[in-house]
Amino acid sequence: MDNDEGTSYGQALHDVLSLLIGQWTIPVITALVVGELHFSELRNEVNRAIAGQRTPISPRVLTDTLKRLEKNHVVIRREEDDAKVGTARVWYDLTPDGRELLSMLRPLASWAANRPKPDPA
């Protein structure tokens, strides 16, 4: 089965799964569902969402994750000069593609939530 661009179904699936790989991708995308967030607000949101599940995300890892998502047109970065501090403030939001991707992940999450849980080894 091919899509309009001639890419095979398997390749398209591989591409989207490669985009989603990484333990921080989904928490970052879901944190931005509320709308544009300043870098520190986004970091706080991600860390709040995963509290108790894993080590908090570091600023460096968040930056790397955001750069990858921005390169793939899932997240948009906006920079604004802050004269009071003498530095730029950075904001992030989902692109229309990012919002569409998130809406496509909801049925997958529902499917996963309704599956039997594996027996602990």
Side-chain angles (χ1 to χ4, degrees):
M1 172 175 13
D2 286 341
N3 65 18
D4 293 341
E5 290 81 35
T7 304
S8 73
Y9 176 80
Q11 183 62 49
L13 190 55
H14 176 270
D15 292 348
V16 75
L17 292 176
S18 294
L19 169 65
L20 296 174
I21 217 160
Q23 69 172 332
W24 298 108
T25 304
I26 300 299
V28 167
I29 292 171
T30 57
L32 288 169
V33 73
V34 298
E36 187 178 61
L37 292 173
H38 179 265
F39 182 87
S40 61
E41 294 171 328
L42 177 55
R43 183 170 178 239
N44 290 340
E45 255 325 286
V46 169
N47 286 334
R48 186 185 60 72
I50 57 95
Q53 298 175 18
R54 55 183 103 150
T55 306
I57 191 170
S58 69
R60 181 72 209 154
V61 171
L62 178 56
T63 297
D64 291 346
T65 302
L66 288 165
K67 282 181 180 178
R68 187 169 52 81
L69 292 171
E70 186 179 11
K71 179 181 175 186
N72 284 281
H73 311 286
V74 174
V75 167
I76 189 162
R77 179 181 190 272
R78 180 175 67 86
E79 195 172 304
E80 185 177 285
D81 287 333
D82 189 339
K84 293 184 278 184
V85 193
T87 187
R89 291 180 47 97
V90 180
W91 304 82
Y92 293 91
D93 201 357
L94 292 173
T95 63
D97 279 351
R99 292 201 178 279
E100 184 177 9
L101 174 62
L102 187 57
S103 73
M104 298 295 164
L105 292 174
R106 285 189 179 109
L108 182 60
S110 178
W111 174 82
N114 291 315
R115 291 183 41 82
K117 302 299 179 244
D119 294 329

